Amino acid sequence: MVMVERSWFLTARSYLPPEVCQFVFCVFWDMPIVPTNRFLGFGTTIFAEMSRRAAAVGAVNLGQGFPDFDGPAHVKDAAIDAIRAGHNQYAPMPGVPALRQAIADAWASDHGGFTTPIDPDEHVTVTAGCTEAIAAALLGLVNPGDEVILFEPYYDSYRACVSMVGATPRFVTLRAPGFTFDESELRAAFTPRTRAILVNTPHNPTGRVLTRDELGLIARLCVEHDAIALADEVYEHLVFEGRHVRLASMPGMWARTVTMSSLGKTFSLTGWKIGWAVAPAPLTAGLRAAHQFLTYAVSTPAQHAAAAALRSDRSYFEAFIAEHRERRDYLCGALSEIGFGVRPPEGTYFVLADHTPLGAGDDVAFCDRLLDEVGVAAIPPTAFYEHTAEGRSLVRFAFCKRMDTLREAVGRLRRLAR
Ligand code: GLN
């Protein structure tokens, strides 16, 4: 297959009728039938692709971010109890009341620096993972032709959902090695057509936790331009230094922010796909307009168990962060000994390292070599960039893995140093 940049597909689809696009891509690029033009250039997600290849060659999988250990027993027991108690029919469209109350109570605790009272009926919607919340927010609150600001590297579904909505993305780059953004670039990204900015903190894949000053600047620009913010805060409990600060807690932001999170990351149950969105009533109405037709409601017993999870003792959350800190410190230390350029992440369970000290080639070539010669799967981050040149020197490793798994991966990666 001829390697072409996504931007090429995206440009082509604006000029060519759908049938011509399909024909050209099928014949000349040997692509399987693309369902619609909305998905041209997106291919198969890099997570599915790398996990498949990792399994095929028996590699240690530090690619897709899922734990290789199980979630807590008290949460699994709560799910089994809910099934036995007969909580097995459709949940209410916005979510099981017990879970929405638990989410509101979690917001009412000091976590996140947020003080506005959350009403579980008016402000909370349960979704199929944070991924559905993002899709529903964009579909329900952004019109075709509106502009949406994305920081790159971005989580891949953001870019595809913006395309599904028919909105125009504008990009602001978080530049290595510090992964900070340029204030003037952010200011310039706001235009009279800006409807929304998507903000992910703690940030996948860079591991950045945006500072209060950075969040304050984003907030001021949203207020000035009357834009809404879609805040993906799924890694809210994975902050290694300091505490998580919600974008919605910045001045003027509650009224214009949809905050999204999920059970999967904090409770190591990524397969349960329970997420939620918290937003003021008008934004909740937009999001629910889409959610009711996307999934209507999500797994009832898992929602009951999620309510129990959110009511876990503080010691659960403390152990969770302590264990991930140990994993982070071990992997980052080892990567830097091996020769990678490493900046330990302030949050999340990902490290985005510079692979260029270890040899030539871009991120894709490097990840191919890791899989085939070393037996470790990682993610080539150009999948998360529009300006792919910014990501070619980088590689993403996930460290939400057992220490034994990390030790095995490091043993294999040491071959690179020889
Ligand atoms: N959030 C996970 C990651 O970044 C992947 C989820 C998925 O596979 N879509 O690795």
Side-chain angles (χ1 to χ4, degrees):
M1 180 176 136
V2 183
M3 287 305 291
V4 280
E5 300 255 331
R6 174 179 304 141
S7 56
W8 199 98
F9 287 94
L10 295 166
T11 310
R13 79 171 181 186
S14 336
Y15 293 105
L16 301 174
E19 319 73 58
V20 178
C21 279
Q22 305 277 316
F23 179 78
V24 170
F25 291 116
C26 292
V27 173
F28 292 98
W29 277 276
D30 192 22
M31 290 189 56
I33 298 287
V34 176
T36 62
N37 276 14
R38 291 182 187 89
F39 298 100
L40 279 179
F42 292 101
T44 302
T45 85
I46 194 67
F47 305 115
E49 173 75 5
M50 295 313 284
S51 282
R52 183 188 60 75
R53 289 176 62 193
V57 301
V60 180
N61 191 353
L62 304 189
Q64 192 178 22
F66 63 88
D68 68 347
F69 47 87
D70 210 354
H74 70 282
V75 182
K76 294 193 293 178
D77 289 344
I80 293 162
D81 291 347
I83 290 173
R84 294 227 162 89
H87 294 301
N88 298 309
Q89 307 307 331
Y90 292 130
M93 182 275 280
V96 162
L99 174 55
R100 285 186 283 125
Q101 186 65 57
I103 293 165
D105 292 348
W107 274 58
S109 72
D110 62 351
H111 175 69
F114 193 80
T115 48
T116 306
I118 301 299
D119 180 318
D121 294 326
E122 292 220 325
H123 302 151
V124 183
T125 309
V126 180
T127 54
C130 185
T131 303
E132 193 221 340
I134 293 160
L138 286 165
L139 285 164
L141 295 166
V142 175
N143 273 305
D146 286 350
E147 290 182 358
V148 178
I149 300 171
L150 303 180
F151 289 96
E152 67 173 354
Y154 44 72
Y155 183 57
D156 65 347
S157 87
Y158 303 169
R159 180 68 189 86
C161 285
V162 168
S163 169
M164 276 191 248
V165 166
T168 306
R170 307 266 308 195
F171 300 96
V172 177
T173 306
L174 300 171
R175 284 209 175 75
F179 300 113
T180 50
F181 60 86
D182 194 71
E183 176 169 341
S184 55
E185 225 178 282
L186 180 64
R187 281 184 185 281
F190 278 87
T191 78
R193 288 171 62 209
T194 304
R195 169 62 175 155
I197 181 168
L198 227 157
V199 179
N200 172 218
T201 182
H203 184 262
N204 174 12
T206 65
R208 271 297 321 278
V209 174
L210 295 183
T211 62
R212 229 170 235 287
D213 284 352
E214 287 168 320
L215 292 171
L217 174 65
I218 294 169
R220 285 197 302 280
L221 289 168
C222 285
V223 172
E224 201 176 301
H225 293 269
D226 194 20
I228 61 170
L230 308 180
D232 172 352
E233 301 186 2
V234 284
Y235 300 100
E236 62 186 301
H237 289 281
L238 273 169
V239 175
F240 299 110
E241 320 318 331
R243 306 199 64 165
H244 175 62
V245 180
R246 293 197 188 287
L247 180 56
S249 71
M250 293 286 124
M253 287 310 281
W254 162 249
R256 54 180 72 251
T257 304
V258 179
T259 304
M260 299 167 288
S261 190
S262 78
L263 184 80
K265 315 294 185 226
T266 309
F267 292 91
S268 305
L269 294 165
T270 59
W272 284 24
K273 297 295 293 178
I274 297 291
W276 50 83
V278 178
L283 297 181
T284 292
L287 179 134
R288 286 184 187 168
H291 163 71
Q292 64 182 341
F293 294 124
L294 285 173
T295 55
Y296 182 76
V298 301
S299 169
T300 307
Q303 290 194 55
H304 283 276
L310 290 179
R311 298 196 188 286
S312 299
D313 291 344
R314 185 179 284 270
S315 60
Y316 171 79
F317 298 95
E318 287 166 0
F320 177 74
I321 187 76
E323 284 160 15
H324 281 86
R325 182 179 284 110
E326 185 187 353
R327 296 176 180 121
R328 173 194 71 158
D329 292 348
Y330 171 70
L331 184 65
C332 290
L335 290 176
S336 108
E337 265 171 50
I338 291 166
F340 287 91
V342 182
R343 181 187 164 282
E346 295 140 13
T348 78
Y349 42 49
F350 303 111
V351 50
L352 195 58
D354 180 356
H355 63 76
T356 51
L358 293 161
D362 64 7
D363 61 324
V364 174
F366 184 76
C367 287
D368 284 350
R369 182 176 152 215
L370 273 191
L371 252 186
D372 299 334
E373 293 171 27
V374 178
V376 173
I379 299 288
T382 46
F384 309 139
Y385 283 88
E386 209 71 5
H387 305 102
T388 48
E390 301 278 351
R392 287 195 190 121
S393 58
L394 303 170
V395 54
R396 191 194 84 170
F397 295 101
F399 54 82
C400 45
K401 308 290 171 179
R402 287 178 288 117
M403 285 302 289
D404 279 354
T405 307
L406 295 178
R407 276 190 278 270
E408 174 63 30
V410 164
R412 295 181 183 201
L413 288 166
R414 288 198 196 281
R415 293 177 206 158
L416 287 166
R418 277 175 222 145

